[in-house]
Amino acid sequence: MALNKTLKSVTNRIVARSAPTRQIYLDRMREARANGPARAHLSCSGQAHAFAAAGVDKDRLAKTNAGNLGIITTYNDMLSAHQPYERYPELIREAVRKVGGTAQVAGGVPAMCDGVTQGTAGMELSLFSRDVIAMAAGVALSHNTFDAAVFLGVCDKIVPGLVIAAQSFGHLPAVFLPAGPMTSGLPNEEKAKVRQKFAAGEAGRQALMEAEMAAYHGPGTCTFYGTANTNQMLMEFMGLHLPGASFVPPGTRLRDALTVAGAQRALSLSALGENYTPVCDILDERAFVNGIVGLNATGGSTNLLIHLVAMARAGGIILDWKDFSDISDVTPLIARVYPNGLADVNHFHAAGGLGYMIGSLLEGGLLHPDTQTIAGVGLAEYTREPKLIDGDLRWQTGAGQSLNEKILRPVSDPFQTTGGLKRLTGSLGTAVMKVSAVAEEHHVVEAPVRVFHDQNEVKDAFKAGELTGDVIIVVRFQGPKANGMPELHSLTPLLSILQGRGQKVALVTDGRMSGASGKVPAAIHVCPEALEGGAIAQLRDGDLLCVDARAGTLEILTEGVHARPAAQADLSANEAGTGRDLFTAFRRAVGPANAGATVFGD
């Protein structure tokens, strides 16, 4: 089918908008390719340093021009999603030796867990960790001794940070190797109910702990469809994973086979061979549009409204939130995964998963079909699924139909005709909302506001019984310059309780919500942020707001608000403790959320 007209139009305007910066980037990548890996140009001393600990690979590195694969790993024991990476380096080394190459761990980069830091001071480092990851990976690759790279990462800020780094070294091929989701535990809906009971004082901490441990119970990615699993979807839609690799569980033979194949594929794409495929050729404007389609069709995380903008800018491509909103208007929601439904990602994968989705979207003219990927030219490869047959990894034709229409539907019969994300604009500024999990009757909320400068103040007001009647909770001074733009996911249980009591309730904030949030309407990422003099800093308790996801508006209904002086806040408590003192320069340099909230400049 012909490409959807809106998709074509949005792509064309992105290309036009990005032309100057994209050309500068591509010229830089061509120059880097011409220079080639500097391994052969190093001094004898430099080469000796680089190869000293290479063991059985030392002679091959020093005496031949065999391809050398750089491994960027985010392994640590604390993240369940990243714990499986402990054994990947040796698996990768053995894999590339079989095809005559070598592999070295170029460097490890930090990887924090947003689930651990929710509601704590550590969450104020979360968004900034993305840019730290990008810089750390850049340092790792700066030795310039590699012909290609593999990136081991899964979770929230981690994949975006690695993609930014991969684009900085965009003349190199790169393959992203996932670790897969943990097996299904306590259903997410049951876990959410226990959280709400605890927030309401109806369940004790022991019951809460038992529920959480039953939900998060082993190695692998959390099974709800938050930012981590949205990242995995994007890597397939954008062509940086092998087809069907995202949601194969860790510790399985198929997972290992995909890791081996991914490592060998990365080396085969280097400039040493005939299939040279650098990252800069894969991540073009069409790839990012395909990623935005995937984000909307799956009801993915709002965090990607920041991360995709930052990722694109690293390759000279300029996205804005109107691109996301316009694509959402023509992209049907064809997946229901918690919090948009009851299924987890394992159920989603079993029902046909990404392969089925990509096939259906291609049939509907809703994806660029001819993008370059690590698997070759064209997204049709990503409708196939990997199988182990007699011990050999092969790709076969996918199911071609949904195996559970409560989880997956075709483009011709979607759960809703538009995507999961909405851009809101109006007299309060610009914001975004994830609407895929919000019931239709909650898409418009008009109510007086209660203004807070800290999420703990909201919790205290709730415990004191102050949040009665219809209310829009405003939490400001939560933007990137104020305190690093933490997620406010710990407010989700109490907001859900208010909504469950029959109150009209919404959240408005210049901060973020978790990718797993969704049932309560939340206008987030408000720009300009309060610290930058945005209108959100002029609100007072009792002012009327209207949050309208149908019309895409965010309006102040009380007259005279814009004539008030902006509120001031004491932010000194954000400046030290739990490492926050190390990020003063980040808070000063960071750009606005709608430009990617990055410290890497314009």
Side-chain angles (χ1 to χ4, degrees):
M1 182 177 289
L3 187 68
N4 177 276
K5 291 181 179 179
T6 297
L7 218 62
K8 185 176 181 179
S9 174
V10 172
T11 304
N12 288 341
R13 80 179 183 221
I14 294 170
V15 170
R17 182 194 307 140
S18 308
T21 49
R22 179 65 174 169
Q23 192 58 55
I24 291 169
Y25 171 76
L26 291 175
D27 288 346
R28 197 168 74 242
M29 293 305 105
R30 276 195 287 269
E31 182 180 356
R33 179 194 177 185
N35 292 336
R39 183 168 67 252
H41 309 299
L42 290 174
S43 67
C44 291
S45 175
Q47 291 190 60
H49 277 292
F51 310 150
V56 297
D57 294 324
K58 186 185 295 187
D59 282 350
R60 187 173 291 172
L61 281 164
K63 298 177 182 178
T64 75
N65 63 350
N68 189 30
L69 185 65
I71 303 169
I72 304 294
T73 179
T74 57
Y75 159 71
N76 65 49
D77 298 310
M78 194 198 64
L79 270 74
S80 61
H82 288 216
Q83 187 276 336
Y85 286 137
E86 181 176 18
R87 51 188 292 272
Y88 272 40
E90 191 52 41
L91 193 63
I92 291 167
R93 291 189 196 100
E94 289 295 331
V96 298
R97 283 171 188 150
K98 290 178 180 178
V99 293
T102 58
Q104 295 175 291
V105 173
V109 304
M112 67 182 291
C113 179
D114 287 5
V116 173
T117 57
Q118 287 289 347
T120 73
M123 175 51 72
E124 295 179 20
L125 307 187
S126 174
L127 181 58
F128 290 148
S129 76
R130 180 197 66 199
D131 291 3
V132 172
I133 288 163
M135 291 187 284
V139 170
L141 292 174
S142 68
H143 300 94
N144 205 18
T145 63
F146 305 106
D147 300 286
V150 289
F151 293 84
L152 316 183
V154 174
C155 289
D156 301 59
K157 282 7 122 267
I158 297 158
V159 166
L162 294 176
V163 169
I164 291 169
Q167 293 211 94
S168 183
F169 289 80
H171 61 292
L172 295 178
V175 172
F176 280 62
L177 299 178
M182 69 176 68
T183 55
S184 300
L186 180 73
N188 289 294
E189 188 76 4
E190 294 302 312
K191 174 194 69 183
K193 289 178 181 177
V194 177
R195 286 181 176 177
Q196 289 183 32
K197 288 182 178 180
F198 179 78
E202 299 170 2
R205 182 164 292 277
Q206 182 176 347
L208 177 65
M209 189 66 183
E210 289 174 356
E212 299 288 356
M213 292 290 283
Y216 308 117
H217 61 88
T221 315
C222 304
T223 59
F224 58 82
Y225 195 58
T227 310
N229 285 318
T230 303
N231 286 338
Q232 303 312 293
M233 175 278 298
L234 284 171
M235 292 300 93
E236 286 211 33
F237 270 74
M238 296 174 73
L240 290 176
H241 275 178
L242 287 175
S246 295
F247 299 129
V248 175
T252 61
R253 291 173 58 224
L254 181 57
R255 175 83 277 155
D256 283 357
L258 285 164
T259 300
V260 167
Q264 293 175 343
R265 183 63 178 167
L267 211 52
S268 76
L269 299 176
S270 79
L272 297 173
E274 298 179 355
N275 296 311
Y276 176 57
T277 310
V279 168
C280 63
D281 286 355
I282 291 176
L283 294 182
D284 63 8
E285 295 88 347
R286 297 169 302 161
F288 278 97
V289 167
N290 284 350
I292 296 171
V293 170
L295 182 65
N296 279 286
T298 58
S301 166
T302 52
N303 280 322
L304 272 301
L305 285 153
I306 295 175
H307 297 322
L308 274 167
V309 173
M311 290 155 63
R313 286 183 175 231
I317 297 169
I318 310 300
L319 303 178
D320 66 36
W321 287 345
K322 189 175 189 305
D323 301 327
F324 290 79
S325 187
D326 288 352
I327 291 173
S328 179
D329 286 344
V330 298
T331 303
L333 181 72
I334 59 174
R336 286 284 193 201
V337 190
Y338 186 86
N340 305 334
L342 298 180
D344 67 22
V345 294
N346 294 311
H347 306 137
F348 165 77
H349 187 63
L354 296 178
Y356 169 76
M357 287 195 71
I358 290 171
S360 186
L361 290 164
L362 283 170
E363 288 176 6
L366 288 165
L367 289 170
H368 288 280
D370 54 348
T371 52
Q372 178 69 58
T373 77
I374 64 166
V377 177
L379 272 185
E381 285 296 320
Y382 286 77
T383 65
R384 297 164 63 81
E385 57 184 9
K387 299 283 186 181
L388 273 181
I389 300 174
D390 297 327
D392 294 328
L393 179 63
R394 300 177 190 172
W395 274 265
Q396 296 185 329
T397 302
Q401 61 183 12
S402 172
L403 302 181
N404 187 336
E405 291 207 348
K406 293 180 180 179
I407 301 172
L408 274 173
R409 288 187 184 173
V411 164
S412 59
D413 182 27
F415 293 104
Q416 62 186 49
T417 57
T418 59
L421 301 169
K422 195 75 176 180
R423 173 178 174 255
L424 310 179
T425 59
S427 53
L428 190 68
T430 302
V432 293
M433 182 187 291
K434 180 176 178 177
V435 295
S436 53
V438 178
E440 178 67 26
E441 62 266 26
H442 301 309
H443 280 199
V444 180
V445 178
E446 181 179 317
V449 305
R450 278 291 305 271
V451 180
F452 302 91
H453 290 181
D454 181 271
Q455 59 184 309
N456 291 322
E457 294 175 358
V458 184
K459 297 173 186 177
D460 291 342
F462 173 81
K463 291 176 183 176
E466 298 175 8
L467 303 179
T468 57
D470 296 344
V471 63
I472 294 177
I473 304 297
V474 174
V475 189
R476 64 191 179 194
F477 295 101
Q478 304 298 306
K481 281 190 177 295
N483 63 350
M485 206 179 186
E487 289 181 348
L488 306 178
H489 184 53
S490 64
L491 298 181
T492 299
L494 67 88
L495 293 172
S496 299
I497 290 170
L498 298 179
Q499 188 180 73
R501 291 173 180 170
Q503 296 171 236
K504 288 186 177 180
V505 61
L507 174 71
V508 173
T509 180
D510 49 8
R512 296 182 295 126
M513 286 295 279
S514 166
S517 303
K519 295 184 184 300
V520 176
I524 61 177
H525 308 175
V526 171
C527 294
E529 65 173 286
L531 191 61
E532 292 283 273
I536 192 173
Q538 296 172 303
L539 293 174
R540 296 175 184 169
D541 286 351
D543 288 340
L544 285 177
L545 274 187
C546 182
V547 179
D548 188 339
R550 293 177 193 152
T553 57
L554 183 60
E555 298 289 356
I556 302 170
L557 303 182
T558 300
E559 294 184 3
V561 170
H562 288 295
R564 298 173 187 162
Q568 304 295 311
D570 180 4
L571 301 178
S572 58
N574 302 337
E575 296 173 0
T578 323
R580 289 178 291 181
D581 48 306
L582 301 175
F583 286 81
T584 300
F586 277 62
R587 290 189 293 272
R588 290 175 179 167
V590 69
N594 57 4
T598 177
V599 300
F600 296 138
D602 296 335

